[in-house]
């Protein structure tokens, strides 16, 4: 099987349309979106329409939950006043421009989804399987913790988004030393005499986002292809799956023009045009922050 | 009042996500007037942790799927094995060290820079400075500590780190924005062009309890207050602290005898009654000890049950 996974769209309907065409041209069997349709960009309804017209299944992100229920903010989990100021601007814009019909649909989305494909148990979520808006950054999430999540949630592969940066780690590519027996907390909870075994191999995949570039000075955005079964290209992957992160160029200048017309903040437009994040920086851990410009 | 009718506000350990190391015990080169565990050059109530002890706990933590490691004191860099300890920790996961920034040496930072670059994980420095001027900081932290800590920040920046400056709120909360703005400007002048800042509430414990009037009997969390409260906001719901006298429930209460829960992680997973005055500060401000990148998200977002 070939599956395409889109992370946060953040109203970037131009990147979404390009990604759908790109994934189709690669012969994918299905497309998924892991939530956060709104924020940041222009014309929220265009994203919702594209998603629904193309039958893309969606896991509900914190943004979709907030917009769907008309809450007063996005619950992205920012801690800094400046970050919250900008998050609120885009939230208020998105809420005001999302139709009631799309909002009702957002409320109906599942918080996570399980798929069983070629014998692999996939768990699709937004932030982490345990909390919609939990940030799992590459540099602050160790391999043993990922093993615990796969163990606790009884799956082989967890897919999420939320942080805005793609990455993956598997039992095969981690720091190597960590075979992890079931955690003692859960041993205590198990009454059937059996011990749960950490799935091996296991992986976490952050599929990236289509909404904005990755704070690396390039303007492209990212989505993820997952190949399983016979579609794993021989010799390339020692695992029973293969992950390909796809850099996607799209008409970012057109997006910037639309954002200008909608009077969205210059800081956001700068990010689209330069590839560097200008807001929401305070939640980044040191390694990820150091790689950026600001 | 009938005592048996009162339910205790017990917080169970939901998930052991962070393991703290009281790596310098209560030994510090400074004697800040607001130190909540009264650290000083002479306070030996808690001693240093050795490299071997930390390594043993790191291995134990693998089994638990612990996600992050924090190092505190006292002043961690007084422990002569700290650099080696941090290097080893970065094999296991992300490390955060809470320092006063006044004793850092270039040769240590050189090694730590290399260790972080060679690791999958982040090494975070949190430097405590209580305000943007010596006039605000020094009366609390000691003469010339502002200047010395800023020198530490300069060194960290030179070695490519982006320290998080943490400050205890020794001013009124309404002044936060103004003070943070002034602080950013000062840090810019010292070569730190993208400063990361975090304001912490003061804890009325230890030396700070003597300086102020401490907590009153009404500053208490009750079982009723926990109904509907997102307990993941409390550090004791997802952390434990290794000290040389046993494993403590949280980094804030190590001085309270009931906070030492046992000697193995297994013993230390039992729940804890959050009946201390400081617990009321945690209750009010939430997640005060963890980094912004791993802050427990807010209460309004649903937690997903296992499906
Ligand atoms: S507050 Fe920190 S720097 Fe000050 S005495 Fe206590 S441990 Fe030392
Ligand atoms: S002081 Fe805070 S972290 Fe410690 S036990 Fe009380 S509530 Fe929990």
């Amino acid at each position: 099987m070939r599956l395409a996974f889109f992370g946060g769209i953040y109203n970037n309907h131009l990147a979404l349309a390009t990604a759908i065409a790109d994934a189709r041209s690669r012969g994918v069997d299905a497309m998924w979106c892991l939530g956060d349709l709104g924020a940041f960009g222009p014309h929220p309804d265009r994203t919702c329409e594209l998603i629904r017209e193309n039958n893309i299944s969606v896991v509900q992100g914190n943004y979709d939950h907030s917009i769907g229920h008309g809450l007063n903010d996005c619950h992205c989990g920012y801690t800094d006043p400046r970050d919250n100021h900008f998050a609120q601007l885009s939230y208020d814009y998105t809420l005001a421009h999302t139709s009631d019909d799309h909002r009702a649909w957002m409320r109906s989305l599942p918080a996570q989804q399980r798929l069983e494909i070629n014998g692999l148990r996939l768990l699709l979520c937004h932030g982490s399987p345990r909390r919609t808006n939990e940030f799992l950054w590459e540099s602050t999430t160790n391999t043993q913790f990922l093993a615990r999540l796969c163990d606790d949630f009884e799956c082989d592969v967890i897919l999420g988004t939320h942080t805005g940066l793609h990455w993956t780690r598997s039992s095969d590519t981690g720091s190597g030393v960590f075979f992890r027996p079931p955690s003692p907390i859960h041993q205590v909870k198990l009454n059937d005499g059996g011990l749960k075994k950490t799935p091996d191999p296991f992986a976490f995949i952050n599929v990236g986002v289509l909404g904005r570039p990755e704070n690396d000075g390039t303007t492209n955005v990212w989505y993820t292809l997952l190949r399983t079964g016979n579609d794993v290209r021989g010799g390339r992957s020692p695992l029973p799956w293969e992950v390909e992160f796809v850099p996607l160029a799209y008409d970012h200048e057109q997006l910037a023009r639309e954002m200008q017309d909608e009077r969205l903040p210059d800081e956001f437009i700068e990010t689209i045009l330069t590839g560097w994040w200008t807001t929401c920086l305070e939640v980044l851990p040191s390694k990820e922050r150091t790689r950026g410009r600001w | 009042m009938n005592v048996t009718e009162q339910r205790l506000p017990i917080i169970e350990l939901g998930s052991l996500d962070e393991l703290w190391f009281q790596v310098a015990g209560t030994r510090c080169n400074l004697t800040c007037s607001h130190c909540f565990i009264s650290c000083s050059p002479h306070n030996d109530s808690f001693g240093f942790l050795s490299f071997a002890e930390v390594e043993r706990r790191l291995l134990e933590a693998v089994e638990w799927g612990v996600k992050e490691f924090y190092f505190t004191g006292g002043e961690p860099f007084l422990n002569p094995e700290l650099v080696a300890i941090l290097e080893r920790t970065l094999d296991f996961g992300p490390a955060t060290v809470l320092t006063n920034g006044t004793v850092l040496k270039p040769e240590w930072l050189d090694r730590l820079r290399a260790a972080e670059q060679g690791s999958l994980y982040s090494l975070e420095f949190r430097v405590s400075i209580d305000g943007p001027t010596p006039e605000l900081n020094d009366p609390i932290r000691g003469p010339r500590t502002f200047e010395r800590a800023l020198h530490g920040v300069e060194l960290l920046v030179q070695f490519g780190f982006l320290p998080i400056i943490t400050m205890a709120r020794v001013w009124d909360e309404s002044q936060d924005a103004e003070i943070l703005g002034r602080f950013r400007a000062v840090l810019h002048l010292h070569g730190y062009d993208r400063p990361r800042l975090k304001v912490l509430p003061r804890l009325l414990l230890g030396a700070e309890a003597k300086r102020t009037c401490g907590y009153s009997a009404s500053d208490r969390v009750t079982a009723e207050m926990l109904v509907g409260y997102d307990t993941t906001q409390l550090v004791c719901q997802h952390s434990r602290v290794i000290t040389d006298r046993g494993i403590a429930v949280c980094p804030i209460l190590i001085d309270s005898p009931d906070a030492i829960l046992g000697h193995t992680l297994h013993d230390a997973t039992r729940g804890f009654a959050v009946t201390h005055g400081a617990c009321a500060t945690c209750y009010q401000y939430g997640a005060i000890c963890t980094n912004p990148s791993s802050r427990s998200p807010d209460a309004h977002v649903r937690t997903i049950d296992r499906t």
Side-chain angles (χ1 to χ4, degrees):
Chain A
M1 290 275 265
R2 291 175 214 193
L3 303 175
F5 292 96
F6 306 143
I9 316 289
Y10 310 161
N11 296 334
N12 192 341
H13 61 96
L14 296 172
L16 175 61
T18 311
I20 292 170
D22 191 81
R24 286 236 166 87
S25 75
R26 291 163 188 263
V28 297
D29 297 294
M31 293 180 274
W32 283 86
C33 172
L34 302 186
D36 279 4
L37 305 174
F40 207 78
H43 309 304
D45 279 348
R46 295 188 192 169
T47 290
C48 297
E49 279 150 25
L50 274 172
I51 291 269
R52 296 176 74 178
E53 281 163 11
N54 287 280
N55 289 319
I56 298 171
S57 310
V58 184
V59 166
Q60 187 185 59
N62 48 283
Y63 224 91
D64 316 315
H65 182 260
S66 286
I67 296 282
H69 289 88
L71 305 184
N72 50 15
D73 70 65
C74 62
H75 298 287
C76 288
Y78 301 133
T79 50
D80 179 75
R82 181 174 179 273
D83 289 350
N84 279 321
H85 165 76
F86 282 108
Q88 195 66 39
L89 290 178
S90 46
Y91 184 78
D92 293 343
Y93 171 85
T94 302
L95 184 59
H97 292 83
T98 306
S99 74
D100 288 345
D101 175 53
H102 290 319
R103 289 183 49 219
W105 166 71
M106 285 177 187
R107 286 195 292 278
S108 73
L109 298 172
Q112 54 181 249
Q113 184 70 43
R114 285 175 183 276
L115 303 177
E116 183 122 8
I117 289 171
N118 297 121
L120 283 176
R121 299 165 306 164
L122 309 186
L123 178 55
L124 281 48
C125 60
H126 178 71
S128 92
R130 56 183 197 172
R131 267 193 309 263
T132 295
N133 68 351
E134 182 169 13
F135 293 109
L136 294 182
W137 304 102
E138 181 172 18
S139 84
T140 56
T141 307
N142 63 7
T143 313
Q144 66 217 38
F145 176 75
L146 294 173
R148 160 146 72 98
L149 286 182
C150 290
D151 184 2
D152 286 358
F153 289 88
E154 297 174 342
C155 58
D156 303 307
V157 181
I158 298 172
L159 295 107
T161 175
H162 191 56
T163 64
L165 302 175
H166 73 266
W167 63 281
T168 186
R169 188 159 335 123
S170 69
S171 41
D172 209 62
T173 57
S175 41
V177 290
F178 299 119
F179 169 68
R180 186 186 151 272
S183 110
I185 288 188
H186 300 293
Q187 277 182 27
V188 175
K189 282 183 189 161
L190 279 180
N191 283 326
D192 61 3
L195 290 181
K196 259 189 302 182
K197 192 181 167 311
T198 297
D200 188 23
F202 63 86
F204 176 81
I205 304 168
N206 186 315
V207 305
V209 294
L210 290 175
R212 63 172 179 173
E214 284 211 351
N215 199 22
D216 60 0
T218 65
T219 54
N220 61 268
V221 293
W222 295 81
Y223 80 97
T224 297
L225 287 172
L226 182 71
R227 297 189 182 84
T228 62
N230 292 335
D231 284 307
V232 176
R233 292 171 298 183
R236 289 224 193 173
S237 174
L239 298 166
W241 63 79
E242 185 185 8
V243 181
E244 182 179 348
F245 294 116
V246 182
L248 190 80
Y250 69 101
D251 193 347
H252 63 281
E253 286 172 351
Q254 171 64 19
L255 188 79
R257 282 191 291 275
E258 290 183 14
M259 289 168 77
Q260 249 145 16
D261 292 344
E262 291 299 289
R263 299 178 189 286
L264 289 163
D266 290 342
E267 287 80 355
F268 292 180
I269 296 167
E270 184 185 333
T271 295
I272 292 298
L273 291 176
T274 64
W276 298 115
W277 293 4
T278 54
T279 58
C280 312
L281 290 161
E282 295 307 319
V283 291
L284 287 171
S286 93
K287 260 190 197 258
E288 284 82 351
R289 180 81 187 257
T290 309
R291 285 182 204 127
R293 167 77 187 80
W294 302 109
Chain B
M1 196 194 292
N2 184 342
V3 180
T4 56
E5 276 176 16
Q6 286 192 336
R7 281 183 302 133
L8 285 171
I10 304 277
I11 298 295
E12 299 293 343
L13 179 65
S15 170
L16 187 56
D17 287 356
E18 301 104 33
L19 195 58
W20 288 68
F21 292 92
Q22 192 72 27
V23 73
T26 39
R27 200 77 79 75
C28 190
N29 57 317
L30 306 184
T31 43
C32 302
S33 64
H34 64 353
C35 184
F36 62 86
I37 47 176
S38 312
C39 294
S40 77
H42 315 291
N43 186 344
D44 288 327
S45 4
F46 290 83
F48 291 169
L49 296 176
S50 68
F51 178 92
E53 168 68 355
V54 173
E55 187 177 49
R56 185 170 77 84
R57 297 300 190 175
L58 290 170
L59 286 163
E60 197 180 354
V62 171
E63 285 179 42
W64 293 76
V66 172
K67 181 171 174 273
E68 298 192 50
F69 305 99
Y70 286 78
F71 294 84
T72 187
E75 169 48 51
F77 282 94
L78 295 189
N79 183 327
E81 293 187 289
L82 185 76
V83 174
I85 286 172
L86 293 174
E87 287 170 335
R88 183 69 175 124
T89 302
L90 287 168
D91 293 336
F92 290 81
T96 298
V97 54
L98 281 60
T99 172
N100 62 36
T102 61
V103 295
L104 300 174
K105 293 200 178 131
E107 53 272 32
W108 298 341
L109 299 185
D110 200 29
R111 276 173 66 187
L112 292 173
R113 176 76 265 163
E116 194 199 24
Q117 278 170 348
S119 169
L120 289 171
Y121 307 119
S122 277
L123 171 62
E124 296 279 10
F125 286 86
R126 286 191 0 199
V127 180
S128 318
I129 307 178
D130 290 331
T133 61
E135 289 70 30
L136 272 170
N137 175 86
D138 289 2
I140 300 160
R141 305 188 67 85
R144 290 193 52 244
T145 53
F146 181 78
E147 185 192 323
R148 290 169 61 198
L150 268 189
H151 177 65
V153 170
E154 284 173 1
L155 262 186
L156 286 163
V157 171
Q158 270 168 32
F159 279 90
F161 294 106
L162 298 176
I164 300 171
I165 312 298
T166 58
M167 56 211 92
R169 187 181 285 117
V170 291
W171 52 83
D172 190 79
E173 198 167 340
S174 63
Q175 291 176 277
D176 273 6
E178 183 217 324
I179 302 248
L180 288 175
R182 276 165 64 197
F183 218 145
R184 281 202 183 89
V186 168
L187 289 161
H188 271 283
L189 285 177
H190 285 264
Y192 192 10
D193 61 0
R194 38 181 170 162
R196 303 157 83 202
L197 300 169
K198 178 173 159 102
V199 184
L200 303 171
R202 270 179 303 154
L203 293 159
L204 311 184
L205 298 176
E208 180 70 351
K210 294 192 195 100
R211 195 178 79 99
T212 62
C213 30
Y215 288 103
S216 73
S218 59
D219 297 326
R220 291 292 183 269
V221 178
T222 62
E224 290 68 42
M225 287 162 71
L226 292 178
V227 176
Y229 181 77
D230 175 14
T231 58
T232 64
Q233 294 291 312
L234 304 177
V235 173
C236 50
Q237 197 268 353
H238 44 82
S239 304
R240 289 295 182 258
V241 189
I242 308 291
T243 78
D244 71 329
R245 287 169 35 189
I247 301 178
V249 64
C250 76
I252 298 163
L253 294 180
I254 60 165
D255 259 350
S256 311
D258 65 326
I260 304 288
L261 300 177
H263 290 274
T264 65
L265 282 180
H266 208 281
D267 294 342
T269 56
R270 61 193 165 86
F272 184 77
V274 291
T275 50
H276 291 262
C279 302
T281 304
C282 290
Y283 181 92
Q284 185 185 353
Y285 291 97
I288 56 179
C289 303
T290 34
N291 296 334
S293 57
S294 37
R295 192 191 85 119
S296 297
D298 57 77
H300 305 283
V301 174
R302 60 183 154 150
T303 312
I304 302 162
D305 295 325
R306 282 213 232 170
T307 47

